[in-house]
């Protein structure tokens, strides 16, 4: 199944496309302290919830990047319908194609989309370069809990690291950790449950679609893996850091 179509279907009900509550996203905005006149970059902005929330609170110039047209178009509609203090735009396409200059932004975010910039290290490198002195970045990422099963580590090699290892990687890129906002189990259950509900609704509506069997198998597999192993093996957090 086309991955763009898959994610558009299973995240149809998601307003926030990460395991975070609205209250925790507001806490994140408080940690980032966006102020009037600053430029904000959101890599993997999805449907634009965080981008709109920042621009609604501060007179910033914000840019969101997303590869999936359905999400980027939803973000554009959200921004058009939200009363903003600042200016925000969404660009559709690969994040690595965006012409990012040194120190172009004061705040740079990648919440749950480090794959868009080549993984955690690539994300930290590019976000650190994109902000000037005293710039702030935020990265949302899973982390392995102690004792995670080997099967989980093999299934997700890109996330085979613990909390302390992510913090060490942040420091290795010349950044100082200033905040940590962790998802609760309830946050992650809610996030995953929305996938299951959206998939079930789509399968009821389109049982004869050529992709129906593949979607049903995939969602059943991911649900089983989450409940059997990943729910206990992974944590998820947003790491906020500053550039000296």
């Amino acid at each position: 199944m086309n991955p763009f179509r898959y994610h558009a279907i299973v995240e149809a009900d998601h307003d926030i496309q990460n395991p975070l509550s609205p209250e925790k996203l507001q806490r994140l905005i408080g940690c980032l302290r966006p102020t009037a006149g600053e430029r904000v970059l959101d890599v993997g902005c999805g449907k634009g919830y965080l981008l709109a929330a920042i621009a609604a609170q501060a007179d910033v110039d914000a840019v969101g990047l997303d590869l999936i047209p359905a999400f980027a178009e939803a973000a554009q509609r959200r921004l058009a319908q939200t009363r903003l203090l600042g200016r925000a735009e969404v660009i559709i396409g690969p994040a690595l194609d965006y012409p990012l200059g040194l120190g172009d932004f004061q705040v740079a975010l990648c919440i749950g989309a480090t794959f868009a910039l080549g993984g955690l290290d690539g994300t930290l490198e590019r976000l650190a370069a994109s902000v000037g002195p005293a710039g702030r970045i935020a990265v949302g990422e899973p982390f392995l809990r102690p004792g995670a099963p080997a099967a989980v580590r093999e299934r997700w090699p890109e996330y085979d690291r613990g909390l302390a290892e992510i913090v060490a990687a942040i420091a290795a890129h010349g950044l100082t950790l200033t905040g940590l906002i962790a998802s609760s189990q309830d946050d992650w259950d809610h996030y995953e449950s929305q996938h299951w509900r959206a998939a079930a609704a789509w399968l009821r509506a389109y049982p004869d679609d050529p992709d129906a069997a593949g979607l049903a198998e995939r969602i059943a597999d991911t649900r089983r893996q989450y409940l059997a192993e990943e729910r206990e093996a992974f944590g998820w957090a947003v790491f906020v850091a500053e550039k000296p």
Side-chain angles (χ1 to χ4, degrees):
M1 187 176 195
N2 179 294
F4 287 8
R5 190 181 195 210
Y6 172 80
H7 287 290
I9 290 170
V10 301
E11 296 192 14
D13 293 342
H14 286 69
D15 203 25
I16 298 171
Q17 292 167 277
N18 290 292
L20 290 168
S21 65
E23 294 77 16
K24 288 181 180 176
L25 284 179
Q26 286 300 319
R27 191 185 308 168
L28 171 59
I29 295 172
C31 289
L32 294 169
R33 308 184 313 279
T35 58
E38 290 190 319
R39 299 193 72 210
V40 177
L41 174 68
D42 187 0
V43 177
C45 68
K47 298 178 185 178
Y49 185 99
L50 180 57
L51 194 70
I54 292 172
Q57 293 181 38
D59 185 6
V60 297
D61 183 359
V63 176
L65 310 176
D66 207 275
L67 183 61
I68 299 179
F71 294 164
E73 290 162 6
Q76 290 167 340
R77 291 193 297 271
R78 181 191 297 277
L79 295 170
Q81 296 165 2
T82 302
R83 185 173 181 178
L84 304 179
L85 293 176
R87 175 180 173 272
E89 64 172 329
V90 177
I91 298 170
I92 305 173
L96 288 171
D97 289 350
Y98 182 74
L100 194 61
L102 297 178
D104 279 352
F105 294 88
Q106 287 71 51
V107 178
L109 318 170
C110 186
I111 310 301
T114 56
F115 55 84
L117 293 174
L120 179 64
D121 284 317
T123 298
L124 291 171
E125 180 179 355
R126 287 182 67 86
L127 294 192
S130 74
V131 298
R136 289 86 71 203
I137 76 160
V139 176
E141 188 82 338
F143 61 89
L144 278 178
R145 299 187 186 280
V152 172
R153 305 174 80 103
E154 292 169 5
R155 188 181 306 132
W156 297 104
E158 64 270 41
Y159 301 132
D160 188 5
R161 56 182 170 260
L163 194 62
E165 292 171 279
I166 295 177
V167 173
I170 290 170
H173 286 83
L175 300 162
T176 301
L177 186 73
T178 57
L180 177 67
I181 302 169
S183 298
S184 67
Q185 193 67 72
D186 181 65
D187 292 332
W188 210 332
D189 286 346
H190 176 63
Y191 170 73
E192 293 292 341
S193 297
Q194 290 180 92
H195 290 106
W196 310 335
R197 183 172 65 243
W202 187 88
L203 288 166
R204 284 195 303 272
Y206 305 102
D208 299 323
D209 188 281
D211 284 328
L215 175 64
E217 181 178 359
R218 181 170 176 181
I219 203 70
D221 284 345
T222 58
R223 181 171 53 229
R224 175 184 52 78
Q225 290 164 358
Y226 174 73
L227 295 173
E229 298 173 327
E230 294 169 3
R231 188 175 185 271
E232 302 300 326
F234 279 117
W236 203 95
V238 178
F239 303 82
V240 182
E242 295 188 5
K243 189 172 185 177

